[in-house]
């Protein structure tokens, strides 16, 4: 055997060995007819953590275009694979490098394939198998920097030039999505509901990154939807449950039946309406349509109380829940008093107060509270400092004189101390009959409750007697 | 619902194989949906040394609805009913998640024993006791562990068995207080009942007048 023949024999062995190694490491990206010395590599580009990718419009020679198409920015963790067709000469790896028959990128995103070919060939050193290095060089995206495809300002940004950026951008995005879902489907995940491990194709990753199998999620969500517990349709992880993290519509659609989805939507809408404190249900018993607060109404004009049912057109006041009484006329007192009492009973800054402020308008509530407090003060004063005439109910305040009163309005005689009617013929008997509660108290009154004044007056009474 | 059966069986096996967690789960009858769990009282608590049994019922829609658990062993704890063993714990109610298992729930019960939540009580009287005097509460809880959960003291005093359980200590009261009102002619059981209800312990004692107690005793 000549020396050349020995070399060729060695080369064949090395080629065979290299192929086997590559096949075991990258079963998905290698295919070949090794006998014919032909090899096909399909190398995905995996960037690891998502990186910004900018697709810039490519200029054609010196032609300046005014209507420059805008560049597109994406965040990608993969790029479409590079496809290499190689021929391994009998003397590889000792006498020569692999011959690159073709090199192109899926979706043709790589414009500098000729430069890449040169870079690859340059890596070959006599006697060293180079294919593993090539694959890694491409797979990790290291070649991007050598081809000058990283932004000069920020080398984390990958720049790709392409005549129609928006077209390539959507292709790149589609590739990213499909490779992610392929990757997800390929792996197995433990479902912590049924406590089994399942292929990704039978699982769902929720927006919070928790993964469950679809059939468990279906059982779970179906039950919640049936029971009307829309708030529980969400991630099953304990922390997410505590945080009340609900499922997105798209997630629900992927898990439950069409009918379930419809009911879920209806429940959610109902719940959201109930949560909105400005919503009032139409007062017509047969209607009950939720009526939202009109959007463009000015606070304090009185119109914020106005609601008109979109279904039956009934117009009513959202405060007193009666037929609309116009913006100027106030609600019957009894009703606004209820609101005020509810408001005052709640703590300052409490949810209850916030709810009422939202429901009736903050300014309105404050105005009602003020009115109410004024009214209460008036009432207190009336009760403390006046006595109502037992004949006509008018309140009278006495600033001096004895407790025998004659009403200026209806002429009724009454006692200012206890408010009972007195006989016009002998009104003083009330104060001079021993055993009566007002005996000896013609001049003793408790208005203002001041003991000193009382004593003074009793003193006067005593003086008069003497 | 064979998914439920599969999961429960898995959980039972898992508990059997896991020796480190000290949590045991066994079948009560033939059904795997009625179980009895038990765990040792956590260390450095009044429950240390006791063994606590829990009644476990798996509902039809498990694991999407919470498992039903209550203590079989009597426990003196603000969040556990001293009469029925009912447990006040969020994960057994609205914070339940299908990811929680029998084992993890039992571990939560164990940690509930470590950290009572007197502000959200299941047993108001016990909670009041806890708030008034933690030391006295712990003494009572320890006594309960001893007599009901087979706690440390129980072996030493094995000769003194169930008959002579100290009712005053069970109620977490001062024997002197009980004797004082007993000597007024009220039956012992009634005195214990009233003093316990009024939380006649620690700092509360000077706040409650004797008249008030006698009044309550006369009402009873």
């Amino acid at each position: 055997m000549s020396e050349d023949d020995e070399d060729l024999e060695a080369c064949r062995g090395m080629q065979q060995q290299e192929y086997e190694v590559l096949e075991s490491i990258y079963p998905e990206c290698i295919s070949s007819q090794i006998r014919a010395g032909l090899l096909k590599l399909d190398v995905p580009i995996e960037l690891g953590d998502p990186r910004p990718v900018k697709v810039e419009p490519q200029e054609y020679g010196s032609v300046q275009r005014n209507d420059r198409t805008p560049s597109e920015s994406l965040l990608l963790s993969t790029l479409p694979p590079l496809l290499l067709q190689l021929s391994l000469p009998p003397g590889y790896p000792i006498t020569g490098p692999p011959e690159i028959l073709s090199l192109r990128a899926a979706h043709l995103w790589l414009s500098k394939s000729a430069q890449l070919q040169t870079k690859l060939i340059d890596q070959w050193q006599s006697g060293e198998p180079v294919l593993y290095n090539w694959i890694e060089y491409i797979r990790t995206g290291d070649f991007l920097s050598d081809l000058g495809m990283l932004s000069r300002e920020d080398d984390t940004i990958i720049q790709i030039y392409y005549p129609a950026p928006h077209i390539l951008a959507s292709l790149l995005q589609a590739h990213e999505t499909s490779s992610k879902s392929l990757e997800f489907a390929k792996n197995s995940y433990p479902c912590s509901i049924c406590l089994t491990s399942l292929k990704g194709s039978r699982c769902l990753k929720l927006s919070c990154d928790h993964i469950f199998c679809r059939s468990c999620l279906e059982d779970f969500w179906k039950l919640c939807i049936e029971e009307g517990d829309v708030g529980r349709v969400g991630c099953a992880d304990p922390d997410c449950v505590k945080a009340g993290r609900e499922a997105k519509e798209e997630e629900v659609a992927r898990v439950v039946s069409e009918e379930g989805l419809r009911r879920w939507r209806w429940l959610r809408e109902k719940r959201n309406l109930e949560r909105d404190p400005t919503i009032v249900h139409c007062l017509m018993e047969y209607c009950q349509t939720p009526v939202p607060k009109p959007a463009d109404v000015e606070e304090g004009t009185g119109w914020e109380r106005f609601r008109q049912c979109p279904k039956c057109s009934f117009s009513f006041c959202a405060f007193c829940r009666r037929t609309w009484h116009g913006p100027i006329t106030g609600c019957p007192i009894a009703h606004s008093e209820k609101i005020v009492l509810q408001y005052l009973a709640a703590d300052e800054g409490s949810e209850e107060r916030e709810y009422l402020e939202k429901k009736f308008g903050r300014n309105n509530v404050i105005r009602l509270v003020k009115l109410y407090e004024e009214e209460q003060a008036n009432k207190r004063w009336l009760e403390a400092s006046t006595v109502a005439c037992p004949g006509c109910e008018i309140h009278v305040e006495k600033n001096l004189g004895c407790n025998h009163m004659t009403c200026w309005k209806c002429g009724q005689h009454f006692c200012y101390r206890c408010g009972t009617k007195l006989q016009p013929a002998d009104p003083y008997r009330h104060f001079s009959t021993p055993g009566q509660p007002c005996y000896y108290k013609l001049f003793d009154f408790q208005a203002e409750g001041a003991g000193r004044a009382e004593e003074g007056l009793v003193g006067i009474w005593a003086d008069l007697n003497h | 619902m064979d998914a439920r059966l599969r999961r429960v069986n898995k959980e039972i096996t898992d508990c059997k194989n896991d020796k480190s967690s000290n949590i045991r789960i066994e079948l009560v009858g033939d059904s795997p949906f009625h179980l009895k769990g038990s765990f040792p009282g956590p260390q450095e608590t009044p429950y240390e040394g006791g063994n606590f049994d829990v009644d476990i019922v798996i509902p039809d829609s498990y694991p999407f609805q919470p498992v039903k658990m209550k203590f079989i062993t009597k426990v003196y704890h603000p969040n556990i009913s001293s009469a029925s063993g009912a447990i006040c714990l969020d994960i057994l109610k609205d914070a339940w998640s299908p990811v929680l298992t029998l084992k993890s729930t039992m571990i939560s019960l164990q940690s509930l024993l470590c950290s009572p939540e007197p502000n959200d009580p299941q047993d108001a009287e016990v909670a009041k006791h806890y708030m008034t005097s933690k030391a006295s509460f712990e003494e009572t809880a320890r006594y309960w562990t001893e007599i009901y959960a087979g706690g440390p003291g129980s072996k030493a005093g094995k000769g003194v068995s169930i008959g002579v359980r100290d009712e005053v200590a069970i109620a977490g009261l001062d024997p002197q207080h009980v004797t004082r009102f007993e000597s007024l002619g009220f039956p012992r059981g009634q005195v214990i009942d009233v003093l316990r209800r009024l939380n006649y312990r620690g700092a509360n004692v000077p706040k409650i007048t004797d008249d008030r107690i006698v009044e309550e005793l006369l009402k009873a």
Side-chain angles (χ1 to χ4, degrees):
Chain A
M1 218 191 261
S2 74
E3 206 174 288
D4 280 2
D5 283 346
E6 263 176 44
D7 274 359
L8 284 180
E9 191 58 34
C11 284
R12 214 185 346 266
M14 285 165 88
Q15 282 183 24
Q16 184 68 35
Q17 205 183 358
E18 185 177 21
Y19 176 78
E20 279 166 12
V21 168
L22 290 181
E23 202 187 27
S24 71
I25 305 177
Y26 308 109
E28 273 111 32
C29 62
I30 189 162
S31 65
S32 83
Q33 295 121 329
I34 190 73
R35 278 176 206 292
L38 286 175
L39 202 61
K40 264 196 213 164
L41 297 179
D42 185 336
V43 189
I45 291 138
E46 290 157 1
L47 304 168
D49 292 333
R51 282 174 69 172
V53 174
K54 215 167 174 189
V55 188
E56 307 266 17
Q58 190 177 36
E59 302 292 345
Y60 288 103
S62 57
V63 181
Q64 286 290 325
R65 295 201 316 188
N66 295 330
D67 54 333
R68 263 179 72 112
T69 20
S71 60
E72 300 272 338
S73 293
L74 302 144
L75 204 61
L76 302 175
S77 55
T78 61
L79 286 170
L82 295 191
L83 313 167
L84 284 94
Q85 285 207 43
L86 309 173
S87 161
L88 300 182
Y92 168 77
I94 295 174
T95 57
E99 188 187 340
I100 299 175
L101 300 177
S102 77
L103 187 165
R104 66 181 184 86
H107 304 317
L108 304 174
W109 60 271
L110 184 70
S111 53
K112 296 179 173 174
S113 59
Q115 280 116 297
L116 178 57
Q117 284 196 29
T118 323
K119 293 272 178 204
L120 292 173
I121 298 294
D122 285 349
Q123 286 186 9
W124 172 75
Q125 283 172 330
S126 173
E128 297 286 334
V130 78
L131 293 180
Y132 174 77
N133 293 347
W134 282 12
I135 294 177
E136 279 302 287
Y137 182 59
I138 294 169
R139 197 184 64 80
T140 55
D142 286 350
F143 69 99
L144 294 167
S145 140
D146 292 345
L147 295 185
M149 292 180 70
L150 301 184
S151 164
R152 250 175 237 136
E153 292 90 50
D154 177 358
D155 65 2
T156 57
I157 302 175
I158 297 166
Q159 273 177 321
I160 295 174
Y161 288 91
Y162 196 79
H166 62 285
I167 296 177
L168 183 64
S170 65
L171 288 170
L172 293 179
Q173 190 60 58
H175 174 262
E176 170 91 357
T177 313
S178 76
S179 61
K180 257 192 188 158
S181 66
L182 249 159
E183 180 72 21
F184 182 74
K186 222 167 51 189
N187 292 334
S188 286
Y189 302 93
C191 169
S192 42
I193 298 180
C194 56
L195 309 175
T196 47
S197 197
L198 287 148
K199 274 259 179 282
S201 53
R202 295 176 63 191
C203 295
L204 184 68
K205 188 178 190 176
L206 301 174
S207 56
C208 49
D209 280 351
H210 290 113
I211 298 168
F212 299 99
C213 85
R214 277 162 202 268
S215 90
C216 282
L217 279 180
E218 187 182 354
D219 286 344
F220 182 28
W221 291 356
K222 215 171 78 186
L223 184 84
C224 299
I225 292 171
E226 271 168 22
E227 292 183 345
D229 197 351
V230 66
R232 279 186 81 208
V233 179
C235 179
D237 181 81
D239 291 334
C240 288
V241 168
K242 276 188 186 160
R245 195 158 293 144
E246 291 182 18
K248 302 223 180 325
E249 174 148 359
E250 167 211 293
E251 292 165 349
V252 180
R254 285 179 68 181
V255 168
V256 304
S257 65
E258 189 65 32
E259 199 199 325
L261 178 67
R262 222 174 300 133
R263 185 168 152 80
W264 175 79
R265 280 204 198 108
W266 177 77
L267 285 168
R268 194 180 49 159
E269 195 182 337
K270 189 166 150 255
R271 194 255 333 248
N272 290 348
L273 284 178
E274 280 162 3
R275 267 191 194 164
D276 181 351
T278 63
I279 296 272
V280 183
H281 290 264
C282 176
L283 305 179
M284 289 290 120
E285 246 169 65
Y286 58 83
C287 181
Q288 299 278 321
T289 308
V291 187
K293 187 174 172 179
D296 51 350
V297 71
E298 227 176 288
E299 287 271 340
T301 55
W303 284 103
E304 69 273 12
R305 298 177 292 192
F306 176 69
R307 298 286 187 280
Q308 185 170 38
C309 173
K311 203 168 153 198
C312 71
S313 300
F314 177 62
S315 301
F316 60 97
C317 169
F319 275 41
C320 61
R321 285 157 201 265
R322 286 166 209 236
T323 313
W324 179 233
H325 48 66
I328 296 159
T329 314
C331 300
I333 300 254
H335 186 79
S336 39
E337 191 171 304
K338 214 168 81 190
I339 298 173
V340 170
L341 288 177
Q342 203 180 343
Y343 186 81
L344 290 176
D347 292 330
E348 199 162 326
S350 64
E351 261 176 55
E352 171 93 17
R353 280 203 170 185
E354 204 179 314
Y355 171 86
L356 289 167
E357 281 170 6
K358 261 196 201 140
K359 185 166 179 136
F360 300 112
R362 199 180 133 75
N363 290 339
N364 270 315
V365 175
I366 290 170
R367 189 171 49 80
L368 286 177
V369 169
K370 225 168 148 188
L371 271 175
Y372 174 81
E373 279 171 351
E374 259 177 49
E375 203 128 318
Q376 287 300 306
N378 277 338
K379 230 187 203 172
R380 270 196 302 276
W381 179 82
L382 278 178
E383 267 166 25
S385 338
T386 69
V387 172
C389 162
C392 65
E393 295 278 297
I394 194 162
H395 283 263
V396 286
E397 186 192 15
K398 183 177 74 130
N399 49 7
L400 58 108
C402 71
N403 282 328
H404 165 226
M405 306 292 287
T406 313
C407 179
W408 63 271
K409 201 174 164 200
C410 67
Q412 174 77 49
H413 292 255
F414 65 96
C415 165
Y416 193 77
R417 279 192 86 249
C418 65
T420 47
K421 292 179 180 178
L422 304 179
Q423 292 297 324
D426 187 7
Y428 297 102
R429 200 194 312 170
H430 181 71
F431 304 99
S432 54
T433 315
Q436 287 282 326
C438 295
Y439 173 60
Y440 220 69
K441 286 179 177 161
L442 181 62
F443 280 95
D444 158 51
F445 50 87
Q446 284 168 336
E448 318 290 291
R452 200 164 257 261
E454 214 170 289
E455 272 167 30
L457 283 165
V458 172
I460 293 165
W461 172 240
D463 286 345
L464 284 171
N465 266 353
H466 283 289
Chain B
M1 258 291 220
D2 59 342
R4 173 174 80 130
L5 182 62
R6 241 181 295 138
R7 170 158 158 167
V8 171
N9 282 334
K10 217 171 239 169
E11 286 194 50
I12 295 172
T13 327
D14 180 42
C15 260
K16 272 198 183 115
N17 295 338
D18 179 11
K19 298 277 186 281
S20 60
S21 68
N22 276 323
I23 281 167
R24 287 181 309 275
I25 289 176
E26 57 196 61
L27 267 64
V28 169
D30 296 331
S31 161
F33 303 127
H34 186 197
L35 307 163
K36 191 180 98 176
S38 57
F39 62 83
Q43 284 173 359
E44 282 162 44
T45 68
Y47 311 100
E48 182 172 3
N51 184 61
F52 295 88
D53 290 341
V54 177
D55 183 68
I56 303 171
V57 174
I58 314 274
D60 287 343
S61 40
Y62 184 79
F64 307 116
Q65 292 292 348
V67 61
K68 294 190 175 92
M69 288 193 179
K70 66 172 191 195
F71 276 95
I72 301 170
T73 311
K74 281 171 83 70
V75 190
Y76 199 73
H77 186 284
N79 306 104
I80 299 162
S81 161
S82 55
S84 67
I87 304 161
C88 180
L89 184 62
D90 60 348
I91 58 157
L92 290 175
K93 287 164 193 147
D94 44 355
W96 169 261
S97 141
V99 170
L100 298 172
T101 60
L102 298 178
K103 192 170 90 183
S104 65
T105 311
M106 294 280 281
I107 292 173
S108 299
L109 291 188
Q110 223 174 353
S111 63
L112 180 69
L113 293 190
C114 299
S115 44
E117 274 296 341
N119 294 320
D120 182 19
Q122 175 77 38
D123 195 306
E125 281 184 16
V126 180
K128 268 191 232 154
H129 190 182
Y130 180 92
M131 306 279 259
T132 321
S133 162
K134 202 167 168 214
S136 156
F137 160 82
E138 284 184 347
E139 200 179 303
T140 310
R142 207 169 292 119
Y143 186 66
W144 281 47
T145 307
E146 192 180 301
I147 58 170
Y148 297 122
S154 66
K155 269 180 201 137
K158 221 164 196 177
V160 214
S161 66
I162 308 159
V164 262
R165 277 179 184 171
D166 183 353
E167 285 171 78
V168 178
I170 289 176
L173 296 168
D174 186 334
Q176 282 181 357
H177 293 153
V178 177
T179 328
R180 188 149 61 85
F181 289 99
E182 214 185 338
S183 67
L184 297 178
F186 293 105
R188 189 176 169 80
Q190 205 175 315
V191 173
I192 291 174
D193 213 47
V194 165
L195 292 185
R196 196 193 59 223
R197 205 146 35 78
L198 292 175
N199 191 21
Y200 197 69
R201 300 158 179 134
N204 256 5
V205 171
K207 285 187 213 155
I208 304 173
T209 61
D210 288 4
D211 284 355
R212 171 85 203 282
I213 293 164
V214 170
E215 198 180 295
E216 288 290 323
L217 281 166
L218 287 171
K219 250 192 262 169

